[in-house]
Amino acid sequence: MIKSSCVKHVLRSQDFSPEYLDKLFSHARKLMARMKSSYSRESLVLPLRDRVVTLLFYQPSTRTRFSFEQAARLLGAHTFVTENAGEFSSAIKGETLEHTIRNFGEMHADAIVLRHPENDAAERAAAIVDQYYPYCHIINGGNGTGQHPTQSFIDLFTIEEHLGRLNNFTIAMCGDLAHSRTTHSLAYLLSKYANVKMIFYAPGDKMEMKKEILDHLDEHGIQYMKTSFLSYALRRADAVYVTRAQKEAHGKDIEGETYFKITPKEMELLKPHAVLTHPLPIAAEISREVDSDPRSHYFKAVGYGLCIRMALLEDLIIN
Ligand code: NCD
């Protein structure tokens, strides 16, 4: 367990310090070791027995939802899950997010993991629990085109695990950077580590990294550059972070536009020690043959995510 934590909610990645993440990751590593030796609930201490974790998802999800659900259950918590909450909850009858949160507060949720299409949803939910249910924690599981802080914890952990460090390296972020919330959370977090250089490759003007994030990097003296050549980014990076075209954010805007694809040919450009990762799902931006390249770590990252989310839930609810 992480000692002396004072984290209340998980809304934005920039609220987390490298020291906090270091402790979170070392707890996650201990959990990973336990999982490997005996994948059984009996071997875990069940620190969240009789606690309640609600998963309120208004947008599609595979990994985030299942890994939080599995994390909560492995720690002994009960889970309330509503996927497609826009249709399967009272939202379809006109209930506001604030009222839905009050319902789960009244049902003693200790934590609510929220995924929502609106960028201010997690903050609104946090304001409600702060007013009425101060023991309850909000975890942003992805808010519109805003952030996805717990995914960036996983991305950071994956880079550290396979590159061996979180400072003195160059990362290439390649994809629909304007709308990929995971790249926003990751850029904010990496700006806290020493000598991390960022190269941004977006395949189209509408996909360029958001100005507010570039402003933040400028304010913090972080070296970054934009390139319109994928090969330029791939050759120079120690870590390559790829995201899909967020079609749901563009509507018909990007129909017929060409996106890039990382194939074994592009992998030849990467450094031998480079770490390739992706938050998943992969649409068509990485070819299947690349999955077995030893530098591809996106599936291992899913396993890391389970233990990171276990460590996080335990810390938030127990400390
Ligand atoms: C991401 C998301 O929902 O932002 N998925 C995830 O949680 N790992 C990435 C995406 O949908 O492209």
Side-chain angles (χ1 to χ4, degrees):
M1 194 187 299
I2 305 166
K3 295 277 180 266
S4 72
S5 161
C6 53
V7 171
K8 173 76 205 284
H9 305 298
V10 183
L11 306 179
R12 319 177 309 165
S13 67
Q14 61 267 47
D15 299 334
F16 292 83
S17 66
E19 294 71 34
Y20 178 85
L21 292 172
D22 212 37
K23 288 183 193 157
L24 184 78
F25 292 173
S26 83
H27 188 43
R29 284 192 178 93
K30 284 186 197 136
L31 290 167
M32 267 164 61
R34 291 196 69 160
M35 296 288 224
K36 262 183 214 151
S37 61
S38 145
Y39 192 80
S40 89
R41 296 177 92 180
E42 287 111 71
S43 75
L44 290 163
V45 183
L46 304 186
L48 298 190
R49 182 179 289 139
D50 296 331
R51 301 303 190 116
V52 176
V53 175
T54 294
L55 298 140
L56 188 55
F57 278 62
Y58 292 81
Q59 287 183 310
S61 172
T62 306
R63 278 146 297 274
T64 307
R65 183 167 73 77
F66 284 114
S67 87
F68 266 115
E69 188 174 357
Q70 172 81 324
R73 288 183 179 182
L74 286 169
L75 296 169
H78 302 283
T79 51
F80 289 152
V81 185
T82 170
E83 55 180 326
N84 204 355
E87 281 182 36
F88 297 157
S89 75
S90 288
I92 200 153
K93 300 179 187 170
E95 184 169 74
T96 62
L97 173 66
E98 283 77 0
H99 280 180
T100 303
I101 296 292
R102 285 209 63 176
N103 281 277
F104 286 113
E106 293 296 331
M107 288 184 259
H108 304 287
D110 293 284
I112 300 174
V113 184
L114 175 68
R115 170 168 290 192
H116 198 278
E118 287 161 21
N119 286 26
D120 63 353
E123 260 97 6
R124 282 162 51 203
I128 291 292
V129 304
D130 286 344
Q131 188 177 353
Y132 298 102
Y133 316 102
Y135 52 84
C136 179
H137 306 274
I138 299 293
I139 301 175
N140 177 6
N143 56 335
T145 59
Q147 289 215 26
H148 191 347
T150 65
Q151 179 62 47
S152 67
F153 300 169
I154 300 167
D155 301 327
L156 219 62
F157 184 99
T158 305
I159 295 169
E160 188 177 43
E161 197 70 7
H162 297 283
L163 190 65
R165 62 186 189 278
L166 285 174
N167 47 30
N168 302 314
F169 76 99
T170 298
I171 184 164
M173 295 198 198
C174 308
D176 183 359
L177 307 178
H179 304 96
S180 296
R181 52 197 174 198
T182 64
T183 65
H184 308 157
S185 294
L186 186 57
Y188 280 124
L189 264 194
L190 284 173
S191 72
K192 294 171 183 267
Y193 291 83
N195 196 23
V196 176
K197 298 190 185 83
M198 306 186 196
I199 304 177
F200 298 124
Y201 166 74
D205 294 347
K206 294 192 186 102
M207 299 187 185
E208 297 281 0
M209 184 52 101
K210 282 186 180 184
K211 183 174 177 304
E212 67 196 65
I213 289 161
L214 300 181
D215 288 346
H216 174 91
L217 300 180
D218 285 331
E219 277 159 30
H220 290 79
I222 308 301
Q223 281 192 55
Y224 69 87
M225 62 166 303
K226 294 186 202 173
T227 179
S228 37
F229 298 100
L230 178 63
S231 58
Y232 180 95
L234 297 182
R235 277 201 178 93
R236 282 160 184 78
D238 303 296
V240 178
Y241 189 69
V242 179
T243 63
R244 70 185 171 95
Q246 305 283 317
K247 290 196 173 134
E248 61 274 38
H250 293 272
K252 286 193 183 306
D253 253 20
I254 55 164
E255 268 177 25
E257 296 235 347
T258 48
Y259 207 67
F260 62 93
K261 195 180 196 88
I262 311 262
T263 70
K265 193 162 149 267
E266 280 69 33
M267 291 302 282
E268 284 172 20
L269 303 173
L270 259 67
K271 295 180 183 179
H273 68 262
V275 173
L276 173 68
T277 193
H278 187 302
L280 303 179
I282 292 170
E285 61 283 357
I286 298 182
S287 72
R288 292 295 81 89
E289 304 97 289
V290 174
D291 293 351
S292 56
D293 188 293
R295 293 165 295 177
S296 300
H297 297 293
Y298 30 88
F299 290 115
K300 278 177 233 140
V302 178
Y304 305 149
L306 173 65
C307 297
I308 291 167
R309 286 172 171 140
M310 286 172 79
L312 184 68
L313 284 175
E314 187 177 336
D315 177 51
L316 290 175
I317 296 174
I318 301 295
N319 284 346

